[in-house]
Amino acid sequence: MKAFDEDIYYSPRLRRYEKRVKDSELLETVEEVFDIFTVRSLYELMRKRVLKRLNGCISAGKEARVYLGYGYRGERYAVKIYLTATAEFRRGILKYIMGDPRFDGILPKDTRKLIYLWTRKEYRNLKRLYEAGVSVPKPIAFNNNVLVMEFIGYGDIRAPLLVEVWRELDSEELYSIYRQVIENVEKMYCNAHMVHADLSEYNIMLRGDMSIVLIDVSQAVLLDHPNAMDFLVRDIRNIHRFFHIEAGLDIPEPKEIIEEVTSCGED
């Protein structure tokens, strides 16, 4: 899927979202995010001419902040910085790393190094999914706890999450989004041999033309992960819950959706 084009049709309903973002722009938490190790990581990306500068925070979560960054040719990037001092985060991510054959024998005890590994995992997941034709941000580079990827948005405003705007959409638009989600889950499974493992309305972005982008793929696992099918079932149940129960769409039951998504594995 092509990168976001500012000249593309942009829904008036999504413009109302843009105003809300401008009115409630997130503030940076400098002391929490920019410790000396993170500053060194950013400096290295600048030295390598990946990044030229950072602007303000465009998304904030418990584990990471995302900033708007610029390249040397004016490119806009999303710069995700994982916080390196969260022991609770360590406990939460182990289940997605343990059992992943790509990281066998390299599970660090140090929390900071584990988060560096987690950042590397998200970069590799993005690269694998992007090359398989899944609609995810294009990965650009990473260094330690800093991940640089394609910015999905309009001007300097990030694209909205589905959870933020779905009530402003009609049933036809929502059904189109639902079908895009299922098609991308199928591409994940059949082309990339992966499962998202944390899919919900909170990590589906909408471009101006109502096409979707799946985000937050750090926890995604290969199909040979021991819990891959359990994660897939959870993803599909989340999608069914949102589109059927919340949005009121008439869609197949989770079992049928799973059969559709995994049909490429049938003889």
Side-chain angles (χ1 to χ4, degrees):
M1 187 173 291
K2 65 181 181 179
F4 187 89
D5 182 353
E6 290 183 34
D7 296 324
I8 203 167
Y9 163 75
Y10 197 66
S11 165
R13 281 160 295 184
L14 299 192
R15 284 193 183 278
R16 290 198 290 272
Y17 158 81
E18 176 183 335
K19 183 178 185 302
R20 290 200 301 271
V21 171
K22 287 181 176 178
D23 289 345
S24 60
E25 186 173 1
L26 297 171
L27 297 176
E28 299 180 25
T29 52
V30 176
E31 297 84 358
E32 186 178 16
V33 178
F34 295 101
D35 59 23
I36 188 170
F37 301 100
T38 299
V39 170
R40 287 174 180 171
S41 299
L42 286 166
Y43 177 78
E44 183 65 14
L45 288 166
M46 291 175 177
R47 188 187 68 80
K48 292 180 178 179
R49 299 185 68 82
V50 175
L51 283 176
K52 185 175 183 180
R53 63 186 175 93
L54 284 185
N55 263 21
C57 180
I58 56 176
S59 180
K62 291 186 296 182
E63 295 87 16
R65 304 285 188 270
V66 182
Y67 294 82
L68 176 62
Y70 291 90
Y72 280 81
R73 293 181 294 179
E75 313 96 318
R76 289 189 296 272
Y77 295 134
V79 182
K80 187 173 188 177
I81 301 176
Y82 278 102
L83 308 182
T84 56
T86 53
E88 182 180 348
F89 185 36
R90 175 187 176 92
R91 292 190 293 271
I93 67 180
L94 286 177
K95 62 183 177 182
Y96 299 105
I97 295 179
M98 296 178 67
D100 190 325
R102 296 173 296 175
F103 302 99
D104 277 350
I106 56 172
L107 188 63
K109 295 181 179 180
D110 179 75
T111 298
R112 185 182 304 278
K113 291 181 179 178
L114 180 64
I115 293 176
Y116 291 173
L117 178 64
W118 189 249
T119 308
R120 172 187 168 194
K121 182 175 187 283
E122 182 162 19
Y123 176 84
R124 292 180 64 177
N125 285 349
L126 278 173
K127 189 172 187 294
R128 186 181 181 108
L129 292 168
Y130 187 84
E131 291 174 350
V134 180
S135 184
V136 295
K138 181 179 180 180
I140 305 300
F142 76 98
N143 187 36
N144 294 329
N145 62 317
V146 180
L147 172 64
V148 183
M149 54 192 156
E150 175 189 5
F151 173 73
I152 309 297
Y154 178 77
D156 289 347
I157 303 298
R158 70 162 174 85
L161 302 175
L162 178 58
V163 70
E164 295 169 328
V165 296
W166 73 271
R167 295 182 188 277
E168 301 174 26
L169 308 179
D170 60 37
S171 58
E172 185 176 341
E173 290 167 323
L174 285 167
Y175 187 77
S176 171
I177 292 167
Y178 161 74
R179 285 306 314 166
Q180 290 181 65
V181 171
I182 299 307
E183 288 164 8
N184 276 277
V185 173
E186 184 174 357
K187 286 180 181 179
M188 277 190 174
Y189 187 92
C190 296
N191 298 353
H193 308 294
M194 296 189 76
V195 172
H196 187 286
D198 191 30
L199 188 57
S200 75
E201 64 271 27
Y202 289 88
N203 43 40
I204 299 169
M205 298 189 92
L206 288 182
R207 296 180 186 269
D209 61 351
M210 296 294 178
S211 60
I212 71 163
V213 180
L214 304 183
I215 61 170
D216 293 339
V217 301
S218 54
Q219 73 294 317
V221 299
L222 300 177
L223 293 186
D224 55 5
H225 188 284
N227 298 321
M229 290 309 297
D230 291 336
F231 292 150
L232 176 61
V233 170
R234 185 177 66 186
D235 283 352
I236 297 303
R237 285 178 175 168
N238 278 340
I239 293 305
H240 184 271
R241 171 198 51 75
F242 174 76
F243 284 100
H244 179 60
I245 298 176
E246 297 289 335
L249 297 185
D250 183 14
I251 60 174
E253 290 298 310
K255 182 179 178 181
E256 296 176 65
I257 300 174
I258 292 170
E259 288 174 354
E260 176 185 352
V261 165
T262 61
S263 61
C264 59
E266 298 175 358
D267 293 331

